[in-house]
Amino acid sequence: METTRIEELRSRAIPPASHLIEGTPHQASDGGTLNVVSPIDGSILTTMPKGTRDDARLAIRSARRAFDDGRWSGLAPSSRKKILLKWADLIEANAEELAVLGVRDNGTEIGMAYKAEPLSAAGTIRYFAEAVDKIYGEIAPTAPDALGLVHKQPVGVVGAIVPWNFPLMIGSWKLGPALAAGCTVVLKPAETASLTLVRLAQLAIDAGLPPGVFNVVTGEGAVVGAEIAESHDVDVLVFTGSGATGRRLMEASAKSNLKRVYLELGGKSPNIVFADAPDLTAAAKVSAAGIFRNSGQVCVAGSRLLVQREIHDKFVEMLVQNAEAMWVGDPLDPNTQAGAVNSEHQLAQNLAFVDEARTAGRTIATGGTRILQETGGTYMAPTIITGVQPDDRVVCEEVFGPVLTVQPFDTEEEAIALANASKFGLAAGLWTADLSRAHRMFAKIQAGVVHVNTYGGADITVPLGGVKQSGNGHDKSLHAFDKYLDLKTAWIKL
Ligand code: ADP
């Protein structure tokens, strides 16, 4: 994006946000609002509704009606496709505005946000739109006296609860397949990244999505999110966020209507570097980006470096150089490589992890501090901690900040054991020139994705999902439809 365009969009006043229910802007039923604080400088950007349980119920009823009367699922697939493609076009046409709005709200550096947020959301919606009329049912290989027709039907009302790190990207991973399948949706954005998703919903209406098919309710997780999770009218709950909230959602499902719950709960992903890595300079550069971009606020971030002992000191030094060369600061400066930490709350949490490690005598090889405090924003220096122990909290828990721990290993077996010594299993990285070793390790590492001789690449054609306590189910790729399409059999006696 051009700097002048960014600056023009940055200076725009942002009108108060609204829920979007039945295609119409709504305020909270009791008039409550939340301030939207920018992590760039701590300023108040605007307000948004502090949603009530009544607001959530209104949105759920709207989605229920819209599903039950078939205003969306009853359309010809080609008609649904046309509307979704129009929506993707509108997202793309408004990409610059959406990108800057999102950065002002959540602090991700603009270079990354522009591609990863509106442009990727448009691509995701388009991918699933194009699939709408390419999904077939089946005829089962029954005996000749019967006909078994296996239909794929939309599951119904989807509750989507999404986080603040990549609201449009992760939101569209849920919205794309859900809406393409013919479901209706109530979405709750995170408290600290709601503005772009409200705008996205308005663009869906502009594209011709019937009112009530996609509703957004802003507000607090424990109120709006909890109401969606406890509702008897929501058939499927899809979530990306913390493990603690994921557990609450499963409980709420168990206590209400046993709605299906699909969780993406982050990770503590090992990035394993062998001495025979084809290019250590590239490995250091990509590994640094793999943990420090977006200030580490990436669910697949490679936050646990496992490095073969013989190159430990050399590789740590290379990483420190990369970390210290990173440009941290104003996320609306196109040169910035790591923007703001999303909130004061998140920054305090990150620093507490570092303080604990420091107190325990671990080595802070670089960073470990809040920086640029004079801006009023929330920034943290890329941080590398060496000399850690396997049961240190900073090694076991997801920090969700720019904090990398380093552990040495000697053998392949030890690397696998360390990699798998985690309750999480979302992503992993592996750097080696030995193809046989790469295949052996790929099979043994417990993770949804293993990057080999790179870290963090992906696109919409491959599934993303975790094992162990990183969650269940998959976003992205055609496999994402599994969450939103039910199999239903017609058994016909011939
Ligand atoms: P984080 O710690 O990264 O903010 P959370 O799991 O708290 O992760 O937040 C992810 C999403 O879950 C947000 O939209 C948040 O509002 C929502 N949320 C938080 N608590 C609850 C809850 N008790 N019930 C439902 N949703 C919740």
Side-chain angles (χ1 to χ4, degrees):
M1 278 186 71
E2 294 288 323
T3 311
T4 46
R5 176 73 173 143
I6 295 171
E7 291 309 315
E8 186 238 317
L9 290 167
R10 183 212 286 266
S11 61
R12 277 197 194 167
I14 304 172
S18 311
H19 306 313
L20 199 80
I21 302 174
E22 197 69 24
T24 312
H26 280 252
Q27 290 308 311
S29 59
D30 62 2
T33 58
L34 290 170
N35 284 335
V36 179
V37 178
S38 178
I40 298 178
D41 56 8
S43 63
I44 294 174
L45 291 173
T46 186
T47 61
M48 64 180 190
K50 184 177 177 184
T52 61
R53 283 191 176 254
D54 279 345
D55 299 342
R57 282 189 206 114
L58 191 67
I60 293 165
R61 273 202 301 277
S62 160
R64 184 80 260 166
R65 262 197 318 274
F67 184 75
D68 291 348
D69 69 16
R71 73 185 77 164
W72 180 239
S73 61
L75 294 181
S78 58
S79 306
R80 292 210 303 273
K81 171 167 134 179
K82 205 167 159 192
I83 292 170
L84 293 175
L85 287 175
K86 173 96 185 291
W87 186 27
D89 289 346
L90 288 181
I91 296 168
E92 212 162 72
N94 289 275
E96 293 189 338
E97 182 208 322
L98 281 164
V100 174
L101 182 66
V103 171
R104 293 172 77 188
D105 196 3
N106 86 339
T108 301
E109 55 274 11
I110 187 73
M112 176 184 261
Y114 182 54
K115 290 191 206 123
E117 282 283 277
L119 294 186
S120 118
T124 297
I125 300 298
R126 201 167 278 141
Y127 175 88
F128 288 106
E130 283 162 356
V132 169
D133 54 3
K134 296 170 190 68
I135 295 171
Y136 290 73
E138 296 163 358
I139 298 174
T142 58
D145 61 345
L147 182 61
L149 301 176
V150 184
H151 294 257
K152 292 184 178 173
Q153 298 202 322
V155 290
V157 175
V158 174
I161 301 178
V162 298
W164 44 259
N165 54 338
F166 292 101
L168 293 183
M169 178 169 78
I170 295 172
S172 64
W173 289 350
K174 325 280 188 203
L175 289 163
L179 294 173
C183 296
T184 61
V185 179
V186 177
L187 180 139
K188 196 208 91 65
E191 291 84 329
T192 53
S194 294
L195 300 181
T196 51
L197 279 165
V198 169
R199 184 85 185 92
L200 200 76
Q202 185 58 54
L203 292 174
I205 297 295
D206 296 349
L209 196 74
V213 173
F214 171 27
N215 307 275
V216 177
V217 183
T218 65
E220 294 175 332
V223 179
V224 176
E227 182 62 34
I228 293 171
E230 291 161 21
S231 172
H232 284 260
D233 270 326
V234 171
D235 301 298
V236 178
L237 195 56
V238 289
F239 172 75
T240 299
S242 67
T245 303
R247 276 172 211 278
R248 280 194 204 102
L249 300 183
M250 282 201 149
E251 267 178 44
S253 163
K255 286 181 181 159
S256 55
N257 62 343
L258 286 175
K259 60 180 70 62
R260 296 163 199 186
V261 182
Y262 296 101
L263 306 172
E264 201 270 78
L265 304 176
K268 191 75 192 177
S269 300
N271 182 24
I272 309 164
V273 183
F274 282 86
D276 72 353
D279 179 350
L280 278 184
T281 304
K285 188 165 182 241
V286 174
S287 298
I291 174 65
F292 298 133
R293 293 295 304 273
N294 198 22
S295 299
Q297 302 166 131
V298 178
C299 56
V300 296
S303 52
R304 273 193 303 145
L305 180 76
L306 308 179
V307 57
Q308 205 156 22
R309 198 176 304 274
E310 60 206 85
I311 57 162
H312 176 278
D313 293 356
K314 177 178 160 195
F315 196 69
V316 167
E317 199 183 308
M318 292 165 84
L319 271 177
V320 167
Q321 275 170 16
N322 274 283
E324 292 178 352
M326 272 191 105
W327 189 324
V328 184
D330 179 3
L332 286 171
D333 177 341
N335 294 314
T336 292
Q337 292 168 297
V341 172
N342 180 252
S343 63
E344 287 286 349
H345 171 76
Q346 185 62 38
L347 179 58
Q349 218 166 277
N350 297 349
L351 293 171
F353 272 103
V354 179
D355 286 344
E356 202 176 302
R358 196 182 277 120
T359 306
R362 312 306 177 224
T363 304
I364 314 298
T366 186
T369 52
R370 178 177 194 157
I371 54 172
L372 302 171
Q373 197 158 1
E374 67 282 4
T375 60
T378 39
Y379 299 90
M380 182 169 170
T383 301
I384 299 175
I385 309 179
T386 59
V388 293
Q389 293 300 313
D391 53 359
D392 285 355
R393 210 169 65 90
V394 73
V395 173
C396 301
E397 299 297 330
E398 183 179 46
V399 177
F400 218 61
V403 178
L404 178 71
T405 58
V406 185
Q407 292 166 277
F409 69 85
D410 290 299
T411 63
E412 189 177 311
E413 290 67 34
E414 202 188 339
I416 293 167
L418 281 171
N420 290 340
S422 170
K423 62 185 173 187
F424 296 109
L426 187 59
L430 177 59
W431 299 81
T432 178
D434 181 338
L435 187 63
S436 303
R437 168 187 279 154
H439 280 285
R440 273 196 307 273
M441 291 194 62
F442 170 80
K444 289 186 181 160
I445 293 171
Q446 298 161 345
V449 53
V450 180
H451 306 99
V452 180
N453 292 331
T454 186
Y455 199 94
D459 74 22
I460 190 63
T461 58
V462 293
L464 176 70
V467 296
K468 296 157 79 178
Q469 291 184 34
S470 286
N472 62 320
H474 292 91
D475 283 328
K476 303 167 62 191
S477 83
L478 294 180
H479 296 287
F481 277 118
D482 294 349
K483 293 184 289 205
Y484 308 103
L485 287 170
D486 244 342
L487 299 182
K488 182 175 181 184
T489 301
W491 182 267
I492 300 163
K493 178 89 183 84
L494 298 179

